Amino acid sequence: MARADLVLLHAPSVYDFRKESILYGPVSDLVPSTPVFEMYPIGLTTIAEYLERHGFRVRIINLAVRMLNSDRFEAEKLIQKLEPVAFGIDLHWMPHAHGAIEVARLCKKHHPGIPVMFGGFSSTYYHEELIRRPEVDYVVRGDSTEVPVLKLMQHLSGQPEAPTLPEIPNLTWQDADGQVQDNEISYSPENLDHVLIDYSYVVKAVARYRDLASVLPFKGWLGYPITAALSVRGCTHGCRTCGGSASAFAALHNRRRPAYRAPEHLAQDIRNIARFSKGPVFILGDIRQAGEEYTDRFLRSIRGFQGPVILELFRDADREFIRRVAEAMPNWTLEISLESHSEEVRRAFGRPFKNGPTEDTMRYALELGVKRLDIFFMIGLPKQDYQSVMDTVDYCRYLMTEVDRGPDRRLIPFISPLAPFLDPGSPVFENPERYGYRFFARSLEEHRQALVQPSWKYVLNYETQWMNRDQIVASTYEAGLRLNRLKAEFGVVSQAQADQTEARILRAQRLMAQVDDIVSIADAERRVKLLRAIKPQVDDANLSTVCDKAELNVPMRGITLNLPRTASLFIEQVLRRLAPKPKETW
Ligand code: SF4
């Protein structure tokens, strides 16, 4: 089998999740991953593809999905067998604070001489803490690390005329005296033209390493192959708990304005994905962010695309925009994050838009043939108390009666807590008192330890002036129960499915109380024993807590992966590799 120069490892949230008894709760109900957060960031594929284009062999191994798919899979044994020039580990969002560090420890244990690099948003935020850990040799900072990682690999491989460590942008490292050096974040590209976001690398890697299992994005992906198309890095908005907000990008990644994918490239990425997958393509980022000209060019380029596409809107839209979307991509689903029914809460969260125009947006979408209209609400927001959460569920009833009046019920509301962590770097994390928040974990190490607490209540890194952690948990389950009943009443879910969801929520509530009792026991050994004893029930309650995860799936018909096409795409990629390479400008 081909040997890789760089092995990119994606860790589970908690490395020992198969042994530990942790009631994760609804932390991942609204994303495709399980609570192990096995989905790796899209940046791993762009780094892999970019380095391959420049002569390095890169292998992505999703340890999390391998561990989830088989109890017998031994991650440590696999790591032991690998011998790359370097290991790369993503620590993008904080739920990986435990697993990522443990995987790095295993790399060092078996290969003390092979460098380990970290990257991702959270790595950037905690670069100084990370670099002082014995498991970590380099941290590559910033939101776009394809070029810095290439330069680091050139350096580590001893290529002639390779840059020295001080010459590598965005790099944090330690010099011979053990002094931490953080090179300036001088690589922050203005656009996303340098990356390929069409998953052709993944197709190629499967054939080269004869290993499909390691690149699967999440458990169950083969049955529901949803993919993402990236329109932007950065954001023009300032949601208070978001580590991807405009202020966080400026402070952490030296990004003054978002980097957009050229609209024609974005449309081509979507068409390329559709060559091997019939699954939905989620366009990350509101396509209106870059302005009208961008939106026009994208909609002109994608016009006639028949595959399922999911779009997200960061605020209300006018009828003309919705009409043009419907015309360009007839198989479209829309997602709107309304956060709360209350305009006051939404404004305090940093989204100052009104209910009226947003409800009109929903009406236009339903009238113009949207396949599904998903509306998201959150718990744990500024100025939001227990009653406000319940009022949000009442508002869902209003939306389902007054806005979606059709018999086919396409408007589907969801509610879930901001969990397990609010992002470091977000306005709220940087200024908790100003926004009415209190944090239980600030450092990387505190977050790492929080992740192995026995229930999500103890994992939560915050509470608010309006709801403590107990109330956040209680309102989540109560809102989940009420919304589930509402969905059954309106036929959005079958009565049988609603009954199952209700039984899961009630079981989760009982288990939360049981965990609370165990936590109050002084004898640590007895605590561990009792927690181990309830592990089977805890594992059972860890999936689809407040709604059934499948509720998020856009319906698909027939075969979802086009395998003959995938094979021909691979051959095409090999031929492309043999062709002369484009000249680099950076
Ligand atoms: S949550 Fe708000 S700030 Fe964060 S990416 Fe979405 S729109 Fe931007």
Short mmCIF file of all heavy atoms in Angstrom, two decimals, residues 93 232 234-247 249 285-286 289 312-315 337 339 349-351 423 427, ligand 1:
data_model
loop_
_atom_site.label_atom_id
_atom_site.label_comp_id
_atom_site.label_asym_id
_atom_site.label_seq_id
_atom_site.Cartn_x
_atom_site.Cartn_y
_atom_site.Cartn_z
N TRP A 93 -13.19 22.47 16.36
CA TRP A 93 -14.16 22.89 17.37
C TRP A 93 -13.82 22.20 18.68
O TRP A 93 -13.27 21.10 18.71
CB TRP A 93 -15.59 22.55 16.92
CG TRP A 93 -15.97 23.25 15.65
CD1 TRP A 93 -16.25 22.67 14.46
CD2 TRP A 93 -16.09 24.67 15.43
NE1 TRP A 93 -16.54 23.63 13.52
CE2 TRP A 93 -16.45 24.86 14.08
CE3 TRP A 93 -15.91 25.79 16.24
CZ2 TRP A 93 -16.65 26.13 13.53
CZ3 TRP A 93 -16.11 27.06 15.69
CH2 TRP A 93 -16.48 27.20 14.35
N VAL A 232 -17.67 30.29 1.44
CA VAL A 232 -16.95 31.38 2.11
C VAL A 232 -16.15 30.88 3.30
O VAL A 232 -16.51 29.87 3.92
CB VAL A 232 -17.98 32.45 2.57
CG1 VAL A 232 -18.93 31.91 3.62
CG2 VAL A 232 -17.33 33.72 3.09
N GLY A 234 -15.12 32.87 6.70
CA GLY A 234 -15.38 34.17 7.31
C GLY A 234 -16.88 34.42 7.31
O GLY A 234 -17.64 33.62 6.75
N CYS A 235 -17.29 35.50 7.93
CA CYS A 235 -18.72 35.81 7.99
C CYS A 235 -18.87 37.31 8.20
O CYS A 235 -18.01 37.95 8.82
CB CYS A 235 -19.37 35.05 9.16
SG CYS A 235 -21.16 35.26 9.23
N THR A 236 -19.96 37.86 7.68
CA THR A 236 -20.18 39.30 7.87
C THR A 236 -20.99 39.57 9.14
O THR A 236 -21.17 40.71 9.52
CB THR A 236 -20.96 39.87 6.66
OG1 THR A 236 -22.12 39.06 6.45
CG2 THR A 236 -20.11 39.89 5.41
N HIS A 237 -21.50 38.50 9.79
CA HIS A 237 -22.38 38.68 10.94
C HIS A 237 -21.61 38.56 12.27
O HIS A 237 -20.45 38.17 12.29
CB HIS A 237 -23.52 37.67 10.90
CG HIS A 237 -24.41 37.88 9.72
ND1 HIS A 237 -25.54 38.66 9.76
CD2 HIS A 237 -24.31 37.45 8.44
CE1 HIS A 237 -26.11 38.69 8.57
NE2 HIS A 237 -25.38 37.95 7.75
N GLY A 238 -22.33 38.88 13.34
CA GLY A 238 -21.67 38.90 14.65
C GLY A 238 -22.48 38.19 15.71
O GLY A 238 -22.73 38.76 16.78
N CYS A 239 -22.92 36.96 15.44
CA CYS A 239 -23.71 36.23 16.44
C CYS A 239 -22.83 36.03 17.68
O CYS A 239 -21.67 35.66 17.58
CB CYS A 239 -24.19 34.90 15.88
SG CYS A 239 -25.18 35.14 14.40
N ARG A 240 -23.44 36.30 18.84
CA ARG A 240 -22.64 36.47 20.05
C ARG A 240 -21.92 35.21 20.54
O ARG A 240 -20.93 35.32 21.26
CB ARG A 240 -23.54 36.98 21.18
CG ARG A 240 -24.26 38.28 20.87
CD ARG A 240 -23.30 39.45 20.77
NE ARG A 240 -24.04 40.69 20.57
CZ ARG A 240 -23.96 41.44 19.48
NH1 ARG A 240 -23.17 41.09 18.49
NH2 ARG A 240 -24.66 42.55 19.38
N THR A 241 -22.43 34.05 20.20
CA THR A 241 -21.77 32.84 20.73
C THR A 241 -20.94 32.13 19.67
O THR A 241 -20.48 31.02 19.89
CB THR A 241 -22.82 31.84 21.26
OG1 THR A 241 -23.66 31.43 20.16
CG2 THR A 241 -23.67 32.44 22.36
N CYS A 242 -20.74 32.77 18.52
CA CYS A 242 -20.14 32.07 17.38
C CYS A 242 -18.65 32.37 17.24
O CYS A 242 -18.24 33.53 17.13
CB CYS A 242 -20.87 32.45 16.10
SG CYS A 242 -20.20 31.62 14.66
N GLY A 243 -17.86 31.31 17.21
CA GLY A 243 -16.41 31.44 16.99
C GLY A 243 -16.08 31.67 15.53
O GLY A 243 -14.91 31.82 15.18
N GLY A 244 -17.12 31.68 14.68
CA GLY A 244 -16.90 31.97 13.26
C GLY A 244 -17.48 33.32 12.88
O GLY A 244 -17.74 33.58 11.71
N SER A 245 -17.70 34.18 13.88
CA SER A 245 -18.27 35.51 13.62
C SER A 245 -17.18 36.43 13.07
O SER A 245 -15.99 36.13 13.14
CB SER A 245 -18.85 36.08 14.91
OG SER A 245 -17.84 36.10 15.90
N ALA A 246 -17.63 37.58 12.54
CA ALA A 246 -16.69 38.51 11.93
C ALA A 246 -15.59 38.93 12.91
O ALA A 246 -14.40 38.96 12.56
CB ALA A 246 -17.46 39.74 11.43
N SER A 247 -15.97 39.21 14.17
CA SER A 247 -14.96 39.68 15.12
C SER A 247 -13.98 38.57 15.48
O SER A 247 -12.78 38.81 15.66
CB SER A 247 -15.63 40.23 16.39
OG SER A 247 -16.35 39.20 17.04
N PHE A 249 -13.08 36.08 13.49
CA PHE A 249 -12.19 35.91 12.33
C PHE A 249 -11.10 36.99 12.31
O PHE A 249 -9.96 36.73 11.97
CB PHE A 249 -12.99 35.95 11.02
CG PHE A 249 -13.38 34.57 10.54
CD1 PHE A 249 -14.63 34.06 10.82
CD2 PHE A 249 -12.49 33.79 9.82
CE1 PHE A 249 -14.99 32.78 10.39
CE2 PHE A 249 -12.83 32.52 9.39
CZ PHE A 249 -14.09 32.01 9.68
N GLY A 285 -22.81 28.84 4.15
CA GLY A 285 -22.75 30.30 4.03
C GLY A 285 -23.91 30.81 3.19
O GLY A 285 -24.24 30.23 2.16
N ASP A 286 -24.51 31.90 3.65
CA ASP A 286 -25.62 32.53 2.92
C ASP A 286 -25.07 33.10 1.60
O ASP A 286 -24.16 33.95 1.64
CB ASP A 286 -26.20 33.65 3.81
CG ASP A 286 -27.48 34.24 3.26
OD1 ASP A 286 -27.61 34.31 2.03
OD2 ASP A 286 -28.34 34.64 4.07
N GLN A 289 -24.23 36.87 1.03
CA GLN A 289 -23.28 37.64 1.85
C GLN A 289 -22.34 38.53 1.04
O GLN A 289 -21.95 39.60 1.48
CB GLN A 289 -22.42 36.69 2.68
CG GLN A 289 -23.02 36.31 3.99
CD GLN A 289 -21.97 35.74 4.94
OE1 GLN A 289 -21.60 36.36 5.91
NE2 GLN A 289 -21.52 34.55 4.64
N GLU A 312 -28.67 27.90 3.22
CA GLU A 312 -28.98 28.53 4.51
C GLU A 312 -29.10 30.03 4.32
O GLU A 312 -28.36 30.64 3.56
CB GLU A 312 -27.93 28.17 5.58
CG GLU A 312 -26.49 28.50 5.25
CD GLU A 312 -25.54 28.14 6.39
OE1 GLU A 312 -25.99 27.87 7.51
OE2 GLU A 312 -24.32 28.16 6.15
N LEU A 313 -30.07 30.60 5.03
CA LEU A 313 -30.24 32.05 5.01
C LEU A 313 -29.93 32.60 6.39
O LEU A 313 -30.42 32.08 7.39
CB LEU A 313 -31.69 32.42 4.65
CG LEU A 313 -32.20 32.05 3.26
CD1 LEU A 313 -33.60 32.63 3.04
CD2 LEU A 313 -31.26 32.55 2.17
N PHE A 314 -29.12 33.64 6.45
CA PHE A 314 -28.77 34.24 7.74
C PHE A 314 -29.77 35.32 8.16
O PHE A 314 -29.70 35.83 9.25
CB PHE A 314 -27.35 34.83 7.69
CG PHE A 314 -26.27 33.79 7.56
CD1 PHE A 314 -24.97 34.16 7.21
CD2 PHE A 314 -26.52 32.46 7.82
CE1 PHE A 314 -23.96 33.20 7.11
CE2 PHE A 314 -25.52 31.50 7.72
CZ PHE A 314 -24.24 31.87 7.35
N ARG A 315 -30.65 35.69 7.24
CA ARG A 315 -31.71 36.63 7.58
C ARG A 315 -32.81 36.57 6.52
O ARG A 315 -32.70 35.79 5.58
CB ARG A 315 -31.18 38.05 7.74
CG ARG A 315 -30.40 38.61 6.54
CD ARG A 315 -30.23 40.09 6.65
NE ARG A 315 -31.53 40.71 6.83
CZ ARG A 315 -31.77 41.69 7.71
NH1 ARG A 315 -30.81 42.15 8.47
NH2 ARG A 315 -32.98 42.21 7.84
N SER A 337 -32.07 29.98 10.54
CA SER A 337 -31.87 29.92 11.99
C SER A 337 -32.50 31.17 12.59
O SER A 337 -31.95 32.27 12.49
CB SER A 337 -30.38 29.87 12.34
OG SER A 337 -29.85 28.66 11.90
N GLU A 339 -33.38 31.27 15.84
CA GLU A 339 -32.85 31.24 17.22
C GLU A 339 -33.96 31.31 18.28
O GLU A 339 -34.01 30.51 19.18
CB GLU A 339 -31.82 32.35 17.50
CG GLU A 339 -30.82 32.62 16.39
CD GLU A 339 -30.00 31.43 15.96
OE1 GLU A 339 -30.10 30.37 16.57
OE2 GLU A 339 -29.28 31.56 14.97
N PHE A 349 -28.78 38.32 20.78
CA PHE A 349 -27.88 37.30 20.24
C PHE A 349 -27.05 37.83 19.06
O PHE A 349 -26.09 37.20 18.63
CB PHE A 349 -28.71 36.08 19.79
CG PHE A 349 -27.90 34.94 19.25
CD1 PHE A 349 -27.05 34.21 20.06
CD2 PHE A 349 -27.99 34.59 17.90
CE1 PHE A 349 -26.30 33.16 19.55
CE2 PHE A 349 -27.24 33.53 17.39
CZ PHE A 349 -26.40 32.82 18.22
N GLY A 350 -27.44 38.99 18.56
CA GLY A 350 -26.68 39.59 17.45
C GLY A 350 -27.34 39.42 16.10
O GLY A 350 -26.69 39.60 15.08
N ARG A 351 -28.62 39.04 16.10
CA ARG A 351 -29.34 38.91 14.82
C ARG A 351 -30.56 39.83 14.85
O ARG A 351 -31.66 39.40 15.19
CB ARG A 351 -29.79 37.47 14.62
CG ARG A 351 -28.64 36.54 14.40
CD ARG A 351 -29.14 35.19 13.97
NE ARG A 351 -28.04 34.43 13.44
CZ ARG A 351 -28.16 33.51 12.50
NH1 ARG A 351 -29.33 33.25 11.99
NH2 ARG A 351 -27.13 32.84 12.08
N ASP A 423 -18.22 28.86 21.84
CA ASP A 423 -16.90 28.89 21.22
C ASP A 423 -15.94 29.89 21.87
O ASP A 423 -16.28 31.08 21.98
CB ASP A 423 -17.02 29.31 19.74
CG ASP A 423 -17.89 28.38 18.95
OD1 ASP A 423 -18.01 27.20 19.34
OD2 ASP A 423 -18.44 28.83 17.92
N PRO A 427 -17.80 36.57 20.80
CA PRO A 427 -17.97 37.75 21.64
C PRO A 427 -18.33 37.40 23.09
O PRO A 427 -17.83 38.00 24.04
CB PRO A 427 -19.10 38.51 20.95
CG PRO A 427 -18.99 38.11 19.51
CD PRO A 427 -18.53 36.69 19.52
S1 SF4 B 1 -23.74 31.80 13.53
FE1 SF4 B 1 -23.84 33.97 12.88
S2 SF4 B 1 -21.74 34.74 13.00
FE2 SF4 B 1 -21.66 32.49 13.04
S3 SF4 B 1 -21.34 31.87 10.92
FE3 SF4 B 1 -23.57 31.83 11.30
S4 SF4 B 1 -24.29 33.88 10.70
FE4 SF4 B 1 -22.06 34.01 10.91
#
